[in-house]
Amino acid sequence: MHLVRAHVLVCGGTNCTSSGSQQVREAFKRELEKNKLEQEVKLVETDCHEFCETGPLVIVYPEGTFYVRVTPEDVPEIVSEHLINGRVVKRLLYKAPVDETRIPTYKQLDFYKKQCRVALRNCGSIDPEKIQEYIARGGYESLEKAIFEMTPEQVIEEVKRSGLRGRGGGGFPTGLKWEFCRRSPGDLKYLICNADEGDPGAFMDRSVLEGDPHSLIEGMAIAAYAIGCREGYIYCRAEYPLAIKRLKIAIAQAEELGLLGENILGTDFTFNLHIKEGAGAFVCGEETALMASIEGKRGMPRVRPPFPAQRGLFNKPSNINNVETYANVPVIIARGADWFAAMGTEKSKGTKVFALTGKVNNTGLVEVPMGITLREIIFEIGGGIVGGKKYKGVQIGGPSGGCIPAELMDTPVDYESLIQAGAMMGSGGLVVMDETTCMVDLARFFLNFTQAESCGKCTPCREGTKRMLEILTRICNGEGVPEDIETLERLGRVIKSTALCGLGNTAPNPVLSTLRYFRHEYEAHIFDKRCPAHVCTALLVFSIDEEKCIGCGRCLRACPVGAISGAKKEPHKIDPEKCIKCGTCFEKCNQGAVLRL
Ligand SMILES: Cc1cc2nc3c(=O)[nH]c(=O)nc-3n(C[C@H](O)[C@H](O)[C@H](O)COP(=O)(O)O)c2cc1C
Ligand code: SF4
Ligand code: SF4
Ligand code: SF4
Ligand code: FES
């Protein structure tokens, strides 16, 4: 037997793979063989560590040395320096954004220090294609406990006491939802997992599906036992091929071990799980549209009631939860409701996974206890704003969420506080903005998305969002009129209260929240014909300050349309008729002579 003295973990998650981690792994394989180290150093491919921006990631244990942006060319040095001579390759360590110190290990990174991993507990630590690795970490013990030691009612009671609320957006209490469905009359009931994850930029569910599919399957099996469902569906978008592949492997493995399918663990409990691939329409994430899509119909929402617990899939009582919601369940059963409820705030228990993106130094997935402040997430975990720029605010809750300004950065992240601030938890998108973001343009960007995704079934959403988008586009083009602000507010309120489904009910949020906190930016666009963040091209004016210009000609040579003229060492000029407002001269001039208004 050989003694393994070191483990080299190469991240094989989707993002690291796209930045070349497979080539890095191949390079390690070759280099370890070349140095005859393959017996004493074990090479392991893991799933996502949620710090994708710094990938491809390599972690060397037992120390936990954390190497970032590793290329195949770096591998011989890691092998010879670190694995043979015991010296850390400092240049490949993560550099802290503010003081630029090199951080040697995984555990010392600010990005991970404040995190608390419950839903993501196994992601990046196990091989998701081996059920044995999940079982070795206590996997399927909760299912066994539920079936042999608890009645279905006791399972529901435990989930209710834990305070778990839906992580898919609405935040409805999970145990209560299960109870409604259990009490609904009918022999055939369906259990559904919403793995549609349609928010642009969100990848928390994909991370669980790819990195720890058994936690979802176990959570669903426990729910099926509690509610009394024999059949289950995971509705996953077809754009997630790796997630679907891993789910298929995991379902087959669980069936083989008697943990899914007929007579689970030798009892009379049967639960069959199927995968349904969705075509990727955002509206198909809405529960009634999703069920229509599983039935083979066009994915359009319908009026509720009846709620899915009464009449859902194929008109049978159905329970639908999000991936992260189910992934929390095995831990609640294993460690108890009190343990789970000890994390978070009075009404929002446990943790939440966020996709932290935008103008922040550390981007990636973060799982934090509810109640943590936005300041802690953005400045401690996220390492502050890129380039030391001024923090302006955060768009939270995906395309239908809202913008919370810098003044409210001590807002606790919980369901109620976010709603009060005009945003929402949503599925967990968190886009950080700095002084260079135009809030009118941002609102237009998100509305453009929801408008395009509107299914067109009801008038307020179909027509109303279109009108709002037209107004926003006009404002960004410098053609806004004074009544626009009031019209946007009125339309927004009407659409929110009259649209048929959650898409329309929330689509105006980015506009209404930016009008609430950044009204002055709308006014600057409409009344002063000025974009304070210098984003809206139509409103920009470039000119040259004659006093500062030294006539070096850098701008003249760089201008793509020949709009700049002037003799050498003489002040230059911009012809506004020719200028296409590309901003190149502004960037090129090192005298600060180009003015951008
Ligand atoms: C337009 C729209 C899109 C949605 N997309 C998703 C989604 O991608 N994933 C999800 O879990 N829930 C989504 N939801 C929420 C679901 O309708 C539903 O509330 C949720 O799956 C319930 O699970 P939970 O209680 O565990 O949150 C969406 C809702 C709307 C209105
Ligand atoms: S609110 Fe929008 S997405 Fe929802 S049913 Fe109406 S038109 Fe369709
Ligand atoms: S780059 Fe600046 S200093 Fe040089 S000619 Fe242009 S405006 Fe003048
Ligand atoms: S903004 Fe672009 S097009 Fe206009 S003058 Fe400068 S470089 Fe030329
Ligand atoms: S894919 Fe490697 S850290 Fe996310």
Side-chain angles (χ1 to χ4, degrees):
M1 198 180 117
H2 297 278
L3 206 61
V4 174
R5 66 173 174 84
H7 284 79
V8 174
L9 274 56
V10 180
C11 180
T14 299
N15 295 334
C16 283
T17 300
S18 62
S19 47
S21 71
Q22 294 309 319
Q23 290 86 319
V24 171
R25 198 172 63 92
E26 286 303 314
F28 266 111
K29 197 162 170 281
R30 281 195 305 274
E31 207 57 27
L32 291 176
E33 277 167 13
K34 196 168 120 192
N35 290 282
K36 303 201 173 10
L37 290 173
E38 66 269 41
Q39 304 288 358
E40 52 188 286
V41 178
K42 194 167 176 209
L43 184 61
V44 182
E45 180 175 326
T46 68
D47 205 76
C48 179
H49 294 265
E50 280 76 46
F51 202 9
C52 314
E53 179 221 19
T54 57
L57 290 185
V58 171
I59 308 174
V60 182
Y61 281 105
E63 308 88 355
T65 308
F66 192 79
Y67 291 125
V68 298
R69 299 193 180 93
V70 179
T71 64
E73 292 73 44
D74 295 325
V75 171
E77 191 181 347
I78 299 177
V79 172
S80 69
E81 277 298 285
H82 190 141
L83 295 168
I84 297 176
N85 292 317
R87 289 188 294 252
V88 167
V89 183
K90 290 207 179 99
R91 69 177 181 87
L92 293 173
L93 295 175
Y94 172 77
K95 206 198 285 178
V98 180
D99 59 10
E100 304 210 334
T101 49
R102 298 277 178 182
I103 315 289
T105 66
Y106 195 62
K107 289 199 170 132
Q108 289 164 293
L109 288 170
D110 285 342
F111 185 74
Y112 292 109
K113 265 195 229 160
K114 282 217 158 185
Q115 291 201 44
C116 176
R117 295 178 149 232
V118 180
L120 300 178
R121 60 196 176 278
N122 293 324
C123 292
S125 309
I126 60 166
D127 182 339
E129 296 190 9
K130 294 198 176 108
I131 192 170
Q132 294 78 6
E133 295 206 8
Y134 180 70
I135 290 173
R137 290 174 74 110
Y140 289 105
E141 278 175 16
S142 298
L143 177 63
E144 193 182 338
K145 180 176 170 187
I147 296 175
F148 291 106
E149 296 171 30
M150 299 167 86
T151 62
E153 289 78 8
Q154 282 171 330
V155 173
I156 291 178
E157 195 49 39
E158 196 68 8
V159 175
K160 272 168 82 178
R161 274 204 321 112
S162 75
L164 176 65
R165 293 170 66 175
R167 302 298 195 237
F172 193 83
T174 305
L176 202 59
K177 200 188 246 190
W178 292 10
E179 190 169 63
F180 287 151
C181 193
R182 178 164 184 81
R183 289 192 176 160
S184 242
D187 289 339
L188 182 56
K189 293 177 186 175
Y190 289 102
L191 192 84
I192 304 165
C193 172
N194 190 339
D196 193 49
E197 194 155 63
D199 287 12
F203 59 107
M204 19 297 167
D205 293 346
R206 191 188 77 199
S207 215
V208 174
L209 297 166
E210 291 180 357
D212 192 18
H214 286 287
S215 71
L216 166 65
I217 295 171
E218 186 179 10
M220 287 188 78
I222 294 169
Y225 170 75
I227 298 167
C229 304
R230 286 176 60 92
E231 299 296 322
Y233 285 91
I234 300 172
Y235 186 89
C236 183
R237 53 182 45 231
E239 290 108 316
Y240 282 0
L242 184 61
I244 291 169
K245 177 187 156 213
R246 297 221 163 124
L247 277 173
K248 284 183 179 161
I249 294 172
I251 290 173
Q253 289 173 342
E255 282 173 349
E256 206 180 319
L257 295 188
L259 298 161
L260 261 188
E262 301 290 317
N263 304 109
I264 292 176
L265 293 168
T267 64
D268 59 4
F269 168 49
T270 290
F271 179 53
N272 298 304
L273 196 47
H274 317 277
I275 298 170
K276 173 78 188 172
E277 293 182 31
F282 179 59
V283 76
C284 282
E286 195 280 338
E287 55 192 30
T288 59
L290 184 149
M291 287 185 259
S293 173
I294 296 180
E295 290 169 4
K297 299 179 191 144
R298 186 171 167 190
M300 267 192 173
R302 63 153 172 82
V303 178
R304 294 172 307 171
F307 290 98
Q310 303 159 303
R311 266 176 51 198
L313 186 61
F314 301 114
N315 282 327
K316 301 288 177 199
S318 306
N319 180 78
I320 179 164
N321 282 119
N322 161 264
V323 175
E324 194 185 327
T325 314
Y326 284 125
N328 274 297
V329 171
V331 198
I332 292 171
I333 299 301
R335 305 187 70 164
D338 293 334
W339 171 83
F340 189 83
M343 287 178 288
T345 64
E346 195 196 333
K347 290 184 178 162
S348 303
K349 304 293 189 192
T351 60
K352 175 78 192 92
V353 185
F354 289 97
L356 182 61
T357 55
K359 309 284 178 64
V360 70
N361 281 308
N362 303 332
T363 60
L365 282 193
V366 299
E367 183 170 3
V368 287
M370 296 268 196
I372 192 171
T373 63
L374 287 169
R375 184 194 295 275
E376 287 170 286
I377 298 181
I378 295 160
F379 287 91
E380 295 182 29
I381 297 173
I385 307 302
V386 178
K389 290 211 167 81
K390 199 169 158 210
Y391 170 55
K392 192 169 198 175
V394 62
Q395 161 81 14
I396 187 162
S400 311
C403 286
I404 300 184
E407 305 87 86
L408 297 183
M409 70 170 127
D410 289 312
T411 301
V413 176
D414 62 60
Y415 292 100
E416 280 71 27
S417 307
L418 292 179
I419 297 270
Q420 208 178 358
M424 63 181 198
M425 186 83 75
S427 58
L430 230 154
V431 186
V432 177
M433 287 145 328
D434 69 10
E435 57 196 304
T436 64
T437 313
C438 167
M439 304 312 273
V440 187
D441 181 60
L442 184 93
R444 182 175 64 119
F445 171 82
F446 286 117
L447 196 73
N448 190 31
F449 174 82
T450 39
Q451 207 290 313
E453 296 291 331
S454 162
C455 79
K457 185 170 179 173
C458 68
T459 317
C461 171
R462 185 185 64 238
E463 300 299 325
T465 54
K466 218 174 199 154
R467 295 291 89 79
M468 284 183 86
L469 186 60
E470 279 167 10
I471 296 173
L472 287 171
T473 307
R474 207 169 60 212
I475 297 175
C476 291
N477 285 341
E479 293 155 2
V481 292
E483 325 60 284
D484 282 346
I485 292 182
E486 206 212 313
T487 313
L488 281 174
E489 280 177 329
R490 200 155 31 89
L491 268 173
R493 278 196 306 269
V494 171
I495 299 168
K496 265 176 89 73
S497 57
T498 55
L500 176 64
C501 85
L503 192 152
N505 301 142
T506 54
N509 282 350
V511 185
L512 295 178
S513 65
T514 47
L515 273 169
R516 175 170 165 189
Y517 296 117
F518 301 95
R519 202 179 189 87
H520 52 281
E521 292 201 21
Y522 283 82
E523 288 167 349
H525 283 70
I526 295 170
F527 299 110
D528 310 338
K529 303 294 173 209
R530 196 170 57 78
C531 171
H534 306 297
V535 171
C536 298
T537 319
L539 294 171
L540 294 182
V541 180
F542 289 91
S543 61
I544 292 174
D545 182 341
E546 287 191 12
E547 302 284 308
K548 286 188 181 162
C549 177
I550 56 166
C552 68
R554 281 166 67 96
C555 58
L556 184 146
R557 289 189 293 275
C559 177
V561 291
I564 303 176
S565 58
K568 227 176 183 180
K569 297 194 179 161
E570 295 289 326
H572 283 37
K573 263 199 165 87
I574 293 176
D575 179 349
E577 296 295 314
K578 287 189 186 162
C579 175
I580 55 163
K581 304 174 183 188
C582 68
T584 308
C585 52
F586 184 78
E587 281 158 24
K588 290 282 172 192
C589 179
N590 54 18
Q591 301 297 313
V594 177
L595 307 174
R596 190 181 60 178
L597 297 172

